[in-house]
Amino acid sequence: VYYVYNEIRVFVSAYVWMTGFGNFLYFDKKADFSIERFVSMIIRINYFPLLLSFFLTVPLELYYVVPLHTTGFVVTMITCWIGYKFENACGMGYWKSRTMAVALSLFAHIIFYETPAVNFLLLFSKEYHFRFQADKYSAWLGMASGLLWGKLGDYMQWAHGYENDQRRRIVSIVQFCG
């Protein structure tokens, strides 16, 4: 049964990663930081699990992925908003503003999860404390991946564009050796 638990942990962590990745790409493209977006997402994420918990009289802790997903969404929205403000209010370039915002988010994660501040989660439950500790950097890694996604696409276009014969040979040699 232990192997099933490990698979479930991977799936939950991947889902929280996708929260950071997908929401980063959305906010980076749309820059929709409106209260309507926030409220609609909070309702969309939490509505059905809250109903299930209430009507089935099941502890909400069993739906622990919901607070993980909600927190990942909120952290991603705040991170992207900070990056957007750095770019527009402070005049930073795209990469500098987004990198600084993602770095600040990492710093906030470290301050919370790697200090006794994480014990704040014990006010809710030991289960939430454990689950948040298990997936503490998943959403952040999703945001960092979302930030680098465009550069990866540019590299793939460059590497496999084949307009330049010399470039094709270089890429082939690097891929063969790697």
Side-chain angles (χ1 to χ4, degrees), residues 48-72:
F48 192 62
L50 287 172
L51 285 178
L52 278 174
S53 179
F54 178 74
F55 286 114
L56 298 178
T57 62
V58 174
L60 192 58
E61 293 173 335
L62 293 180
Y63 304 108
Y64 65 87
V65 74
V66 176
L68 285 171
H69 182 56
T70 303
T71 303

Side-chain angles (χ1 to χ4, degrees), residues 72-119:
F73 165 75
V74 171
V75 167
T76 304
M77 185 177 189
I78 291 169
T79 300
C80 290
W81 179 80
I82 290 170
Y84 183 77
K85 288 297 180 185
F86 278 162
E87 184 177 14
N88 293 314
C90 300
M92 291 183 180
Y94 173 83
W95 282 103
K96 187 174 184 180
S97 64
R98 297 317 188 271
T99 303
M100 284 193 57
V102 170
L104 279 173
S105 181
L106 176 61
F107 182 69
H109 274 72
I110 291 170
I111 293 295
F112 183 75
Y113 286 115
E114 306 301 336
T115 66
V118 74
N119 293 332

Side-chain angles (χ1 to χ4, degrees), residues 9-178:
R9 290 295 321 125
V10 168
F11 294 145
V12 167
S13 188
Y15 184 66
V16 176
W17 179 90
M18 288 188 317
T19 299
F21 181 79
N23 283 301
F24 182 90
L25 292 178
Y26 173 82
F27 288 121
D28 198 45
K29 182 178 181 181
K30 302 285 186 180
D32 178 12
F33 305 106
S34 65
I35 192 72
E36 292 86 9
R37 172 72 179 170
F38 178 79
V39 170
S40 72
M41 283 299 292
I42 296 300
I43 290 172
R44 195 178 323 163
I45 294 168
N46 294 288
Y47 179 70
F48 192 62
L50 287 172
L51 285 178
L52 278 174
S53 179
F54 178 74
F55 286 114
L56 298 178
T57 62
V58 174
L60 192 58
E61 293 173 335
L62 293 180
Y63 304 108
Y64 65 87
V65 74
V66 176
L68 285 171
H69 182 56
T70 303
T71 303
F73 165 75
V74 171
V75 167
T76 304
M77 185 177 189
I78 291 169
T79 300
C80 290
W81 179 80
I82 290 170
Y84 183 77
K85 288 297 180 185
F86 278 162
E87 184 177 14
N88 293 314
C90 300
M92 291 183 180
Y94 173 83
W95 282 103
K96 187 174 184 180
S97 64
R98 297 317 188 271
T99 303
M100 284 193 57
V102 170
L104 279 173
S105 181
L106 176 61
F107 182 69
H109 274 72
I110 291 170
I111 293 295
F112 183 75
Y113 286 115
E114 306 301 336
T115 66
V118 74
N119 293 332
F120 171 76
L121 295 171
L122 290 170
L123 296 174
F124 297 100
S125 75
K126 288 181 181 179
E127 183 71 16
Y128 284 160
H129 182 264
F130 172 73
R131 299 299 178 180
F132 272 77
Q133 284 285 86
D135 292 311
K136 56 187 166 187
Y137 294 110
S138 295
W140 183 85
L141 286 170
M143 288 188 292
S145 299
L147 175 63
L148 298 174
W149 184 249
K151 281 292 186 192
L152 177 64
D154 293 345
Y155 168 75
M156 296 302 283
Q157 288 291 330
W158 176 85
H160 300 290
Y162 298 120
E163 301 101 27
N164 185 332
D165 209 28
Q166 180 183 9
R167 181 175 65 203
R168 186 183 73 219
R169 277 188 235 119
I170 291 170
V171 170
S172 296
I173 292 168
V174 169
Q175 288 176 340
F176 179 75
C177 293

